[in-house]
Amino acid sequence: MDAAFTAEQDEIRRTLREILGKRCGPDEVKAAVRTAAGHDRELWQQLARQLGLPGIAIAEEYGGVGCGPADLALACEETGRALLPSPLLATAALCVPLITALGTDAQRSALLLPLASGGLSAALAVPGPALATALALTGEDAEGRWSGGGRAGGVQARADASGGGWRLYGEVAQVLDGHSAGLLLVAAHTGGFARSRTLLFLVREDAPGLVRSRQAVLDETRPQARIELRDAPAELLGDDGADVLGALAATGRTAAAVLAAEAVGAADQALARTVEYVRQREQFGRAIGSFQAVKHRLADLYVRVQAARSAAYYAAWDPDQGGLALAQALETLRVTAGEAIQLHGGIGFTWEHDAHLYFKRAAADELLFGPVHRLRAHAADRAGLFADPAATAAATAAAPVGASATAAAPPVPAPTPTSPPASPRTPPPPPAQEKVAV
């Protein structure tokens, strides 16, 4: 394994950091999230033209850059450093892999080209607060019960009576960039009880019966929307027999690595801003960064950030480790953002301070893709760390082999009913004393 970055990857990182440093400061972030789109459209188009950022992980035959998930994770580390509000996560990390894995040739040709150019953005709509479960980050659900089965909070799909596609009915909340995306990938339940299954459907932004409303959220750099589907027309992604749950799980592993890198970038920037502040803030005639207690706290944060970065880079190389890397990165971001608020003193506790942008990102991401303890618990279950050794041995033992061994063993003779001899180490009982009349 060669962990060194290539010259092309270093150039992507340098260029992206330079652009975001000029166009995506804290004031620009706060202004962008308050627009109707929830992000700076002009900056998004600049990143698409100069770097091909939306299509960095799309094959060249579909108009993309042709890089892999590691390059996307590296780019997201820089966007996380700036807390860039953009459709990058929803489009490139969640929807593009699903379209590539499940879509037909015609669907890939028609959708991936505008997605790679930045002219079209996409959002994944999963019923209920089950995004982490649908992506198999916090648990396995082989039956797809998270799709709701058409009940409250779910989406029901039925074939159009005219034979011209599908119709969707239901409601989905907490859809990342769902208010501005031009294309929605909706997970819906179909087949009733007999053929119950979960499928993915394509819904255009101008589809009749589609109602979208932006939700008030803790982290405005992660805009979310509520989607209402009132007998809305939809197109099936791929075919009816596609392995939707498997594709979602594979997408979840890659998205976890991307999210981990993004969280590491945010934590690193929060730490850098805190170090700069403690060098300037003076108390008792000296910079507070010169006090040993403050140095120790910053050193602990530095170790945390570097360990999380190593885990994120490894997960970018091996997406199967994405869940553990995401857990470590989210925990690191939460701790670093909390310490940043503490070390900024009284001004750090004001809600408008820039340090709270990182704290909100840490809390929102853990609510959407965590929590941390469930990410770790699921990774431990997959690795079999807490499996019962006796049950495992019993399951792996072959029954016929055990039966033949039992039959070949000679029978054990039954013990005779005679009393066992006294142990030689047991002293004999004392003689009985005779009573003498006086």
Side-chain angles (χ1 to χ4, degrees), residues 398-412:
V401 175
S404 60
T406 305
V412 179

Side-chain angles (χ1 to χ4, degrees), residues 60-197:
E60 294 183 10
E61 60 180 309
Y62 298 113
V65 180
C67 298
D71 301 270
L72 178 60
L74 188 65
C76 284
E77 183 182 357
E78 297 303 320
T79 62
R81 186 187 305 275
L83 296 180
L84 172 69
S86 73
L88 181 62
L89 176 63
T91 300
L94 295 179
C95 292
V96 165
L98 292 172
I99 295 174
T100 304
L102 300 177
T104 63
D105 293 337
Q107 288 173 335
R108 288 195 289 266
S109 300
L111 297 176
L112 292 180
L113 184 60
L115 288 172
S117 65
L120 178 67
S121 61
L124 176 63
V126 173
L131 182 58
T133 304
L135 297 176
L137 295 176
T138 57
E140 300 285 349
D141 187 357
E143 299 179 2
R145 289 185 295 268
W146 50 264
S147 62
R151 300 183 295 272
V155 178
Q156 184 72 22
R158 61 176 178 83
D160 198 335
S162 61
W166 294 75
R167 295 280 177 171
L168 303 184
Y169 189 89
E171 181 180 299
V172 185
Q174 297 179 337
V175 180
L176 283 174
D177 294 304
H179 67 292
S180 61
L183 178 69
L184 296 176
L185 268 68
V186 182
H189 174 268
T190 188
F193 181 79
R195 297 188 60 211
S196 176
R197 61 199 186 279

Side-chain angles (χ1 to χ4, degrees), residues 274-290:
T274 305
V275 170
E276 181 182 0
Y277 177 79
V278 299
R279 284 175 174 173
Q280 300 173 357
R281 177 74 168 90
E282 292 188 359
Q283 188 67 36
F284 305 111
R286 55 191 291 193
I288 62 175
S290 64

Side-chain angles (χ1 to χ4, degrees), residues 305-372:
V305 172
Q306 294 304 319
R309 176 177 282 116
S310 297
Y313 287 170
Y314 186 80
W317 176 74
D318 181 12
D320 286 340
Q321 311 304 321
L324 277 177
L326 178 58
Q328 186 168 359
L330 290 180
E331 185 179 53
T332 298
L333 177 56
R334 170 164 45 84
V335 173
T336 305
E339 288 286 349
I341 293 174
Q342 291 277 341
L343 293 173
H344 273 81
I347 192 174
F349 279 84
T350 57
W351 193 243
E352 296 79 15
H353 194 271
D354 295 341
H356 284 268
L357 293 174
Y358 299 94
F359 182 79
K360 294 173 185 177
R361 169 63 68 88
D365 277 4
E366 192 166 353
L367 288 172
L368 278 172
F369 303 102
V372 167

Side-chain angles (χ1 to χ4, degrees), residues 3 18 20 23 31 46 100 132 148 157 203 211 225 228-229 232 237 280 296 312 321 413:
E18 181 180 349
L20 296 181
R23 299 285 306 275
Q46 180 183 357
T100 304
V203 180
V211 179
E228 297 181 21
L229 300 158
L237 179 63
Q280 300 173 357
H296 286 174
Q321 311 304 321

